Every structure is written in structure tokens, then in C-alpha cells.
Amino acid sequence: MRIEVIRPEELGEAELRRWRGLQASTPTLANPFLSPEFTLAVGRFRAGARVAVLSDGGGVAGFFPYERHVLGIGRPIGAGLTDCQGLIAPADLEFDVRALLRACRLSVWEFDHLLAEQTAFAPYHAETRAEPVMDLREGFAAYADEARERSPKTIKTVRYKERKLGREAGEVTYTFAETDPAELRRLMAWKSAQYRRTGRTDRFAEAWIVALAEHLHATGTGVLSVLRAGGRPVSAHLGLRTGSVMAGWFPAYDPEFAKYSPGMIGHLRMAEAAAEAGVTQIAMGRGGREYKDWLKNGEFPIAEGRVARASAAAGLHWVKGTPVRRARSAVLAHPALYARADRVLKTYARLRGHAGDAA
């Protein structure tokens, strides 16, 4: 196996065609986070973005997009923002993982949403989980019928709240692919406020993440959907789409309309509009939220872990990061622990806000 490491923008047209061909021929690779469009976009804003091109006697066999950080610590491309990671290659491609790290000048490669089917990385899995999806291959009507069987009250309640929203706030309308950048800025403002309100790190306080979202929206890979009542936006969602697969990314809503569950209304409207637009699957990302259990009708396995070469940097990385990742994964895997942690974070955010007001 020959391995050449390049920056994303150095990929040629032939390589991009091969990348897209690999995605088209292997359904589990069709996720937008694994697309060349996502890697190219991240490469515009992240100096450490790289792609390892794997070749054998038959030509290009696969692509390994990643980011290289200080001390040779490697992470998936767009780490922290992605819900699907891995090598863009046939699942059974045989190669030496540590030789790949050596060619990439990495002491460690850590992952948290790796396609579990990629057998070369299987010895390095610390744990596996299920990623929820909305399977729309049979169309939205079939999906909705199945959802009613799984949870009879859920869709009925969401539809009731949608009608109530229409009565009390004005006609409910939905735009699947909103092009106005002002609506994206509104979504990011809502999301930043939500992060602060719930004690989470504000992703949109990072200039490069704002720029990445704006670029993906402007180029069409990012699909911005907006739910309105009486012409006023009440919820929105920025997802990614390549071909027939969408990936959920940044949902948010106006807290003033929280009693109507505008996020749930928006998700059902999105599924209906996406199915009409030819989308057959919406990957919803890592679990931990009850609404995803209501909406999902399928899943695929992902893995968390790390590959390391013998080095001082790898040892330091293990000491600093592994216990934290294990604790986080334990919380995410258990709904009761997740709910308790969620309450603690919200209380912390509320107290921090009161302290700021007093100052």
C-alpha cells in the first residue's frame, strides 16, 4: 500500500471522482460528513487538515481525511462537529493502521464516531454505540405510519401542537432549503443562546465554525430549513446533504415558542420535505436525547477509541484524555445519568448568569 499525504485542496478531479464513487458504491459511506465537500470545506479553515491517499496496484484504494494537531495528535476531519468518521474505502480494505499513522506523522489518532464496520480499526475500539437514523426509503407516509405504531401518542401530540401554533401565532409554513444568510445568522444566535442557557460550550463563539457553517450553506452542502408561524421564524435546522443522505447538525428554536415543541414540528416537517426531495436517510447523530428515540426507525454502529504509536506524546494523550472520554461516554449511554448531568449543567449556567447580572 502506498500512502501520499496532501492538503484537501490538492485533491485532483480524478481523485474526487474516485472518492464520490466509493461513497456511491458503499451505502454506509454516503454520510455527508464523509464527503469530499465536507473535507474540502474544513480544509479552508483548519491549517492542520490533511488527506492520506491510499493506493495499491489497482489505483486509489481509499482516502483518510484527518486533522493533525500539536505533538502529532490526530483527530477526524472537523472533529467535534462530526457524527460520522472513518476511512473512505471498502470496509474490508486491508492495510497496516500504524503504518498509516506513521505516514501521516501522527503519534495518536482518536475517534468517537467511527464507522464500526471498518475492520482495520476494530482492535482499537474502546466501545461501540448505535447512531440513530430516520429511514425514509419507503417515503414519509410509510415512515409516519411506522412511527405511529412505535409511539402512538408522539406524532399525534406534535400535530396537535402544530395546529395550536397555527391558531395562536399564525399560519405555519416550512421552507426546506432557505437561502437567506440572515436566517442562518438567526439560527446561530439561537444556538449560541441555547449553549449558554444549558451550560454547554458555545460552538459559534469559534470564528472558524461560523465561517464553515456559512461556507457550507452558501455552497449548498448545508441545507437550512426554517419553520415559521405567521411569517415569523420559530425553529430552524442546518443539516448537511450529499446525494440521498442528510446528516442532522445544528437545530435550534425561539424559546418564546417552546411550549409548542417547534423543534419536533420542524423535524417532522424536515423529514416530509426531505423525502419529497429524494432523501432516503437522515442521520441524527449521537444519542442522548429522548426526541431521537421517538423519531428514529433505524441505526448503525459507531465506535470510540484511539490508535497510538509508542511515543511520549501518545502516553501524555492517554493520561489527559482517556478517563474523561470514558466518563462522558458512560453518561451519554445511560438516559438517567444524561438527564442528571443535563440538570447540573443548566443549574450551573443559571447560577453563572445570576453572578454576571450581580456583577
Side-chain angles (χ1 to χ4, degrees):
M1 187 72 68
R2 184 168 58 87
I3 301 171
E4 179 186 10
V5 175
I6 59 176
R7 285 195 52 80
E9 65 268 22
E10 295 174 328
L11 289 162
E13 284 303 317
E15 291 163 323
L16 292 172
R17 282 196 301 272
R18 173 60 173 157
W19 189 320
R20 295 184 182 112
L22 286 166
Q23 283 195 289
S25 63
T26 308
T28 51
L29 294 178
N31 190 289
F33 288 117
L34 299 179
S35 70
E37 288 77 15
F38 184 73
T39 291
L40 288 167
V42 173
R44 293 172 63 94
F45 307 106
R46 302 294 278 173
R50 297 289 186 273
V51 178
V53 183
L54 287 69
S55 304
D56 56 19
V60 174
F63 301 89
F64 179 66
Y66 67 97
E67 291 184 39
R68 187 178 187 276
H69 297 267
V70 177
L71 299 178
I73 305 303
R75 297 185 177 92
I77 196 82
L81 300 174
T82 62
D83 290 320
C84 191
Q85 305 157 352
L87 188 76
I88 294 80
D92 59 353
L93 180 68
E94 294 184 1
F95 63 98
D96 185 329
V97 174
R98 286 198 169 89
L100 174 62
L101 262 64
R102 188 163 53 250
C104 296
R105 296 173 52 235
L106 297 177
S107 54
V108 175
W109 186 64
E110 61 177 354
F111 50 89
D112 56 6
H113 288 78
L114 179 73
L115 287 172
E117 70 171 26
Q118 299 198 339
T119 55
F121 295 104
Y124 309 101
H125 292 178
E127 64 174 294
T128 57
R129 300 183 303 275
E131 186 111 342
V133 301
M134 301 173 75
D135 186 339
L136 302 171
R137 285 176 295 179
E138 301 301 319
F140 180 77
Y143 166 83
D145 289 342
E146 186 181 348
R148 289 187 189 94
E149 292 180 8
R150 289 194 313 272
S151 181
K153 291 183 179 180
T154 302
I155 289 187
K156 183 178 179 180
T157 300
V158 173
R159 294 305 192 200
Y160 166 77
K161 289 187 176 182
E162 181 176 344
R163 292 192 297 270
K164 183 177 173 67
L165 174 63
R167 289 194 305 270
E168 297 179 356
E171 181 185 4
V172 177
T173 59
Y174 185 77
T175 304
F176 176 59
E178 173 63 64
T179 59
D180 187 351
E183 294 302 332
L184 176 61
R185 290 193 292 272
R186 188 196 307 271
L187 165 65
M188 291 190 286
W190 281 346
K191 198 68 181 176
S192 288
Q194 178 192 341
Y195 285 137
R196 294 192 298 270
R197 193 168 60 247
T198 57
R200 269 72 170 181
T201 301
D202 182 3
R203 300 291 181 84
F204 293 116
E206 296 279 350
W208 79 269
I209 296 178
V210 172
L212 175 65
E214 290 174 340
H215 173 75
L216 288 166
H217 179 233
T219 55
T221 298
V223 180
L224 176 64
S225 302
V226 181
L227 180 76
R228 294 178 173 88
R232 177 179 173 180
V234 296
S235 75
H237 174 266
L238 179 65
L240 302 181
R241 179 184 179 181
T242 51
S244 63
V245 177
M246 279 193 69
W249 206 17
F250 291 112
Y253 62 86
D254 185 340
E256 183 179 335
F257 295 89
K259 67 179 182 179
Y260 302 104
S261 300
M264 283 291 288
I265 296 171
H267 268 81
L268 283 180
R269 285 288 195 116
M270 178 177 67
E272 185 173 11
E276 291 177 359
V279 171
T280 60
Q281 183 189 95
I282 300 175
M284 292 189 289
R286 189 136 119 175
R289 288 290 187 184
E290 188 178 11
Y291 81 87
K292 292 181 181 179
D293 288 333
W294 289 338
L295 292 171
K296 75 175 183 180
N297 63 338
E299 55 190 24
F300 63 91
I302 57 171
E304 179 169 350
R306 68 194 289 273
V307 187
R309 296 165 55 211
S311 69
L316 177 62
H317 176 267
W318 188 95
V319 169
K320 290 180 64 178
T322 298
V324 174
R325 286 197 303 275
R326 287 177 177 171
R328 184 183 66 243
S329 296
V331 169
L332 288 169
H334 294 85
L337 286 176
Y338 182 90
R340 188 174 303 170
D342 189 53
R343 287 194 298 271
V344 169
L345 284 170
K346 288 178 179 177
T347 300
Y348 168 72
R350 191 163 55 249
L351 292 173
R352 186 175 58 183
H354 291 332
D357 293 340

